[in-house]
Amino acid sequence: MHSTIMDTQEEGSVDRITIVPLGDRALIIDWGGGIERDTHEQIRTFCVKLEHAAIAGIIELIPSYTTITVVYDPMELCDPATGAHCYRRDGQILYSPFELLKGIMEGMLGSLASTVKSTTVDLANATTSITVTDAVNNAANIVDIPVCYGEAFGPDLLEVAEHTGLSPQEVIELHCGQSYLVYMVGFAPGFPYLGGMDERIAVPRRSSPRTAITPGSVGIGGSQTGIYPLATPGGWQLIGRTPCQLFRPDHQEPSLLKMGDIVRFYPIEPEQFAEWKEDEQ
Amino acid sequence: MSLTIVKPGLLTTVQDLGRYGYQQQGVIVSGAMDTFALRAANILVGNATDAAALEITLRGPAIRFGVDALIAICGGVLSPTINGEAVALWRPVLVRTGEVLEFGECRSGARAYLAVAGGIDVPMVLQSRSTYLRAGIGGHEGRALRAGDVLSIGAASNLAVCYMKERQAALQAVPFLAATWFIGYTAQPAYRYEPVIRYVRGREFAKFTTESREELVHRRFRISPQSDRMGYRLEGGALRLEAPVELLSEAVSFGTIQVPPDGNPIVLMADRQTVGGYPKIAQVASVDLPVLAQMKPGERIRFTEISLEEAQQLYISAQLSLLQLATSVQLYMKTGGPR
């Protein structure tokens, strides 16, 4: 079975995974390499797996393009009475909480694709209580986002058109013509890092960033596009604005978009923007 | 059953231990900068350690008590007074209805934590009462307190109720009644002038020049005026990479020391963004974050390196000490103090 997985994976694609500390209460599982869809899929799958495993001591997971950061409480990985679980009664060190959790992660990564580098930690002791559902539902959630392009909604649309040698309408068509993958959410609550923009509408960031961007603004920065959920400072060129709320603190899932979602933009008129109601989505 | 803000002070916010579980949706953690002082203050009024309290920054507020209340003030020495008389820190204090708690000069530290028995009763937003200023959520209406704000107090624990009842008669004769016992220096983090902050190596530590790595431990760094709840900018010597690196954004945490291209390190604090793309030279040991949280702009710190294993051991010891402290305080509250 292992060899089958090896055959279907690129040589070394899991082998390169490393686990390093981020201080004394978090660790980073790093897939290495650049922004790749394959890495993203593995990260997404492993996040689901970790959530299902519900390992004591893990507080939360923060996935990014190439990493998952696992935030944990070292106390939970120790004997609560003495804090000594990582140390034997005779004072000999067994594992630090980091090493213990690293071992658990390596074990789980091993079952993800079997080719993780051998470990220095005795996994037999570390992973006994963990059961993992391998059936991970990776079906993508498609989110269509209305955008009112240009004029006051997108003050930089003309500049983007000029820079790219396209007409404003062509910029809008190219921006709406792609399906974008949400690689991660961060920077601001609900801010999606989107991949897949047409390189023909790539433009450099503004030389001096705006101090406060209107929430819902859709921008282009380099070959990335994104939506500003809050009135944050920002240096991207603004081409439009969505009436959708990207960050909804009263929802159980406050971010409209999540890692792995597919985003598609479609143009709307200013009248539709004005009349937009959240429940129409 | 309430507190009225007469004067807001420089930056007074409702904070608890932070909003965890939503970082993957870009929601920052927030919470108290000095989590030790917040926990200690809560313990001293019989609250759960994660109850919401007020974080008071540099110049404190004036607060009128609409009810007899059991309070504790821990952390920075911001010279609190009631009716012109100094209120001692790190102990339970009963305050009579109608009295006004005021703050004066900031003598040491930067942030005081005012816990009230029952906790500050603001609505939970995404499982926390912490104020997230930029998003305008949590705390009191998602913002810093203003004059005229009225804060509700939650239900006090049995321990606190008993403690208050026993002293109710005595309290009617005086504006406030402070316990004679308190959390001593030895049980507190090493708050001091020019502290040495312990760190473990960051992910990109080895990518910095030998000189820069040495400077990190040999220099004194000054907390720049552009420092806030989000991060402390440090001045005192630019740190350089061996060669430029392009990093993809990934998660950062409380105490991450990142170095932007200008070379001046930034220590990320309670209101940090969830992800960052600058190289991480080091990570402040969790046990020293309260010490750092009490530093103010213009003050100096030094760094020293410890192993990850040591940092985790220190963290666990500190947690165990806090549990012991809670047990002692509960005993003192029941018995009236050490006999």
Side-chain angles (χ1 to χ4, degrees):
Chain A
M1 181 191 140
H2 288 175
S3 61
T4 318
I5 291 171
M6 280 298 286
D7 290 342
T8 56
Q9 299 235 319
E10 275 176 38
E11 184 80 29
S13 65
V14 175
D15 222 16
R16 68 183 186 213
I17 299 175
T18 52
I19 298 175
V20 295
L22 174 65
D24 48 27
R25 287 185 292 168
L27 59 76
I28 302 169
I29 308 171
D30 186 4
W31 270 255
I35 303 172
E36 286 164 40
R37 212 164 164 139
D38 186 48
T39 304
H40 166 81
E41 287 302 331
Q42 288 189 36
I43 285 174
R44 228 179 120 210
T45 305
F46 198 60
C47 275
V48 176
K49 214 167 166 170
L50 276 174
E51 271 156 22
H52 281 232
I55 297 158
I58 293 187
I59 295 167
E60 64 180 319
L61 308 174
I62 314 167
S64 74
Y65 287 115
T66 54
T67 66
I68 300 172
T69 297
V70 180
V71 182
Y72 66 95
D73 183 358
M75 275 298 274
E76 293 285 323
L77 292 158
C78 282
D79 183 329
T82 62
H85 135 217
C86 302
Y87 302 87
R88 262 194 227 142
R89 280 192 197 286
D90 60 6
Q92 198 194 335
I93 295 166
L94 291 179
Y95 321 110
S96 68
F98 166 73
E99 284 170 327
L100 182 77
L101 194 57
K102 181 178 181 229
I104 297 173
M105 298 295 101
E106 283 170 338
M108 290 178 66
L109 285 162
S111 74
L112 185 73
S114 83
T115 52
V116 187
K117 277 188 181 136
S118 70
T119 73
T120 53
V121 176
D122 179 10
L123 294 179
N125 289 326
T127 57
T128 44
S129 64
I130 292 158
T131 51
V132 174
T133 316
D134 275 297
V136 170
N137 180 8
N138 259 356
N141 189 20
I142 297 171
V143 186
D144 289 309
I145 295 195
V147 179
C148 191
Y149 288 95
E151 299 186 28
F153 295 94
D156 302 330
L157 178 64
L158 293 178
E159 209 175 310
V160 172
E162 203 169 307
H163 186 273
T164 56
L166 300 162
S167 71
Q169 193 52 41
E170 286 170 323
V171 172
I172 295 169
E173 279 166 16
L174 288 172
H175 194 254
C176 290
Q178 298 287 329
S179 292
Y180 301 90
L181 174 63
V182 179
Y183 275 97
M184 58 192 272
V185 175
F187 166 69
F191 181 92
Y193 285 80
L194 299 174
M197 196 181 76
D198 194 307
E199 284 293 333
R200 282 173 290 177
I201 54 172
V203 283
R205 290 168 172 78
R206 292 171 59 85
S207 50
S208 82
R210 287 184 171 89
T211 50
I213 286 172
T214 312
S217 292
V218 176
I220 296 174
S223 51
Q224 285 183 285
T225 183
I227 313 161
Y228 288 94
L230 295 183
T232 48
W236 289 13
Q237 308 277 2
L238 307 182
I239 59 168
R241 202 191 317 157
T242 177
C244 291
Q245 255 192 300
L246 274 286
F247 175 58
R248 313 156 304 171
D250 50 338
H251 285 53
Q252 205 173 357
E253 296 290 346
S255 178
L256 175 68
L257 302 171
K258 273 170 270 321
M259 177 185 60
D261 284 353
I262 300 293
V263 169
R264 296 183 305 201
F265 296 107
Y266 67 96
I268 57 168
E269 297 301 318
E271 299 77 45
Q272 289 168 282
F273 185 99
E275 288 162 14
W276 185 265
K277 290 188 185 65
E278 279 294 319
D279 54 359
E280 283 175 17
Q281 285 172 65
Chain B
M1 297 294 281
S2 60
L3 307 177
T4 304
I5 306 301
V6 182
K7 279 194 304 192
L10 183 65
L11 176 67
T12 306
T13 56
V14 178
Q15 299 291 348
D16 58 18
L17 286 178
R19 186 171 280 110
Y20 283 94
Y22 299 95
Q23 287 197 81
Q24 60 173 271
Q25 300 189 51
V27 179
I28 67 171
V29 175
S30 317
M33 289 279 275
D34 179 349
T35 55
F36 179 86
L38 176 94
R39 283 178 220 225
N42 275 324
I43 288 170
L44 289 165
V45 297
N47 287 349
T49 52
D50 62 351
L54 296 186
E55 181 178 276
I56 293 162
T57 319
L58 296 171
R59 205 177 64 238
I63 301 169
R64 178 179 296 114
F65 288 80
V67 61
D68 287 356
L70 176 60
I71 67 164
I73 305 168
C74 296
V77 184
L78 273 61
S79 312
T81 55
I82 292 175
N83 207 17
E85 206 181 319
V87 179
L89 271 56
W90 300 100
R91 69 193 74 201
V93 178
L94 276 162
V95 184
R96 190 170 64 181
T97 307
E99 298 299 333
V100 177
L101 171 68
E102 292 177 282
F103 289 84
E105 188 197 348
C106 178
R107 293 229 186 93
S108 69
R111 294 170 175 88
Y113 293 82
L114 168 65
V116 184
I120 305 294
D121 189 20
V122 293
M124 287 275 237
V125 179
L126 301 174
Q127 299 182 61
S128 166
R129 294 187 167 89
S130 286
T131 313
Y132 179 179
L133 291 169
R134 178 153 271 167
I137 62 164
H140 182 72
E141 298 176 1
R143 58 169 172 78
L145 297 181
R146 294 181 194 145
D149 284 345
V150 178
L151 299 171
S152 299
I153 302 168
S157 64
N158 287 339
L159 181 67
V161 169
C162 290
Y163 185 87
M164 291 170 79
K165 228 176 232 168
E166 282 167 19
R167 289 158 184 79
Q168 186 126 43
L171 179 65
Q172 298 323 306
V174 287
F176 71 95
L177 207 57
T180 50
W181 54 271
F182 56 93
I183 298 177
Y185 291 119
T186 51
Q188 297 172 21
Y191 301 125
R192 62 170 60 91
Y193 177 74
E194 283 197 13
V196 179
I197 303 291
R198 290 166 287 192
Y199 71 82
V200 295
R201 288 183 180 190
R203 216 178 154 187
E204 283 81 31
F205 182 84
K207 293 194 163 70
F208 285 83
T209 61
T210 316
E211 298 78 53
S212 289
R213 283 182 267 162
E214 281 170 5
E215 279 197 8
L216 188 61
V217 286
H218 290 130
R219 286 241 181 207
R220 289 190 310 168
F221 289 90
R222 185 173 162 268
I223 317 273
S224 121
Q226 280 82 50
S227 297
D228 55 19
R229 281 183 45 89
M230 196 170 166
Y232 281 9
R233 286 166 186 275
L234 304 182
E235 297 166 345
L239 305 175
R240 301 284 171 215
L241 293 160
E242 284 287 359
V245 287
E246 271 298 317
L247 301 172
L248 291 170
S249 285
E250 65 183 24
V252 290
S253 74
F254 200 164
T256 298
I257 307 177
Q258 61 175 23
V259 183
D262 73 3
N264 292 312
I266 301 172
V267 190
L268 299 175
M269 302 297 280
D271 278 354
R272 66 201 174 272
Q273 290 177 2
T274 55
V275 295
Y278 294 132
K280 301 179 273 289
I281 192 167
Q283 177 84 29
V284 174
S286 291
V287 283
D288 283 347
L289 288 172
V291 177
L292 196 56
Q294 291 295 352
M295 303 305 292
K296 51 183 167 281
E299 293 182 335
R300 287 183 165 80
I301 56 172
R302 286 184 297 133
F303 288 108
T304 189
E305 185 176 316
I306 58 172
S307 69
L308 176 65
E309 201 169 90
E310 193 180 349
Q312 294 203 311
Q313 246 185 309
L314 287 166
Y315 172 82
I316 290 163
S317 307
Q319 299 300 303
L320 292 173
S321 306
L322 199 74
L323 289 174
Q324 267 172 5
L325 186 73
T327 310
S328 309
V329 168
Q330 282 159 15
L331 186 69
Y332 287 0
M333 284 180 77
K334 276 181 197 145
T335 60
R339 296 249 154 112

